[in-house]
Amino acid sequence: QVQLVESGGGLVQAGGSLRLSCAASGRAFSTYAMGWFRQAPGKERESVAAISWSGGTTRYADSVKGRFTISRDNAKNTVYLQLNSLKPEDTAVYYCAAVQLMGPRTGWYIHEYDYWGQGTQVTVSS
């Protein structure tokens, strides 16, 4: 069992930056691949970024490549999402998710993840 708590969301102007954190409690965090998703009003939840258990493999949605960076600190049981060059279309609730998955693989699709946080709101004004 893993419990996930996101933080770091807020209101920012276009072009600005935010750093989201996802703190995990429970056992064996380092055996979990982690992901970040977002859901905008009236839209489906979509995958934004994913990282393998070791941090050696990452994956990004095309819409955020070059602007967002996912990372993790297994000693702190925390995964991060650095959001740079934010755009109004990045406005959404951002969720982190976890799946127990060893090796270089990451998850990507919603159904692949077993544990979810409650989300943190990111609002980008134009």
Side-chain angles (χ1 to χ4, degrees):
Q1 281 278 351
V2 174
Q3 293 79 45
L4 305 173
V5 179
E6 301 96 334
S7 62
L11 173 64
V12 64
Q13 288 189 331
S17 297
L18 285 172
R19 189 193 197 199
L20 307 183
S21 298
C22 173
S25 59
R27 301 178 68 179
F29 172 74
S30 62
T31 66
Y32 286 80
M34 303 295 294
W36 284 97
F37 291 75
R38 66 185 181 187
Q39 187 166 18
K43 294 189 176 181
E44 293 186 352
R45 191 170 299 190
E46 62 176 354
S47 187
V48 173
I51 191 166
S52 61
W53 73 274
S54 68
T57 303
T58 58
R59 182 178 177 181
Y60 297 93
D62 288 343
S63 59
V64 307
K65 270 181 190 174
R67 299 189 299 121
F68 292 6
T69 303
I70 189 170
S71 62
R72 66 189 296 161
D73 185 339
N74 286 343
K76 296 182 177 179
N77 283 11
T78 303
V79 63
Y80 304 98
L81 187 67
Q82 179 69 40
L83 290 65
N84 295 332
S85 303
L86 281 161
K87 305 175 181 180
E89 53 263 43
D90 294 318
T91 294
V93 178
Y94 283 70
Y95 300 89
C96 70
V99 57
Q100 197 159 27
L101 188 64
M102 298 296 290
R105 295 176 295 166
T106 68
W108 188 250
Y109 300 102
I110 292 173
H111 70 268
E112 294 178 313
Y113 289 90
D114 297 318
Y115 304 100
W116 293 83
Q118 83 290 347
T120 186
Q121 176 72 47
V122 172
T123 302
V124 185
S125 63
S126 57

